[in-house]
Amino acid sequence: MLVTLGGAEVLFTLKAPLPVILHIGMQGLAGYLVPAVMLLCGLLILFNPAQRLFYSILAVLASLASWVTSNLGGFVIGMLLGVVGACLTFGWLPDQPLRQGRQRRLERREARRAGV
């Protein structure tokens, strides 16, 4: 969700008035493409979590690229949202069974509580 919010924020800052915009010209296409990739990665992370590692790496690269292409990464806020969201996604594990050692410790703890 943070990656999506970061991409949306960077896209929103591209609509700022001309005196506020820092980068214009040849980088105009990249200024729209990079936050669109961030937005797309955020949505794909939400709807296709099986490929979260690839999307998180792509999202962190796009977030860092927004520093150069899109008003200093949406005035730093959008870039930070994207990087933090991508890092959290990289470490996120969807629901899965406990590992054997942890499952055994949990069962022993429950057996002690039931015996007491």
Side-chain angles (χ1 to χ4, degrees), residues 21-96:
I21 295 178
L22 301 175
H23 295 288
I24 57 174
M26 289 297 288
Q27 295 178 348
L29 178 63
Y32 287 105
L33 185 64
V34 169
V37 168
M38 287 174 63
L39 195 63
L40 182 65
C41 283
L43 292 174
L44 287 171
I45 287 168
L46 289 173
F47 294 113
N48 189 10
Q51 299 296 321
R52 71 189 182 286
L53 295 178
F54 174 72
Y55 297 141
S56 66
I57 291 170
L58 194 62
V60 81
L61 291 175
S63 297
L64 293 174
S66 72
W67 175 264
V68 177
T69 61
S70 306
N71 294 332
L72 298 176
F75 303 116
V76 182
I77 297 168
M79 182 187 71
L80 287 178
L81 282 172
V83 169
V84 169
C87 290
L88 288 174
T89 300
F90 192 82
W92 170 54
L93 292 173
D95 292 336
Q96 57 183 328

Side-chain angles (χ1 to χ4, degrees), residues 98-115:
L98 294 175
R99 286 182 259 154
Q100 291 178 356
R102 186 167 179 156
Q103 182 67 34
R104 275 188 258 132
R105 284 193 305 266
L106 185 63
E107 289 171 358
R108 277 189 243 141
R109 195 176 300 149
E110 289 176 3
R112 276 187 253 150
R113 286 183 186 164

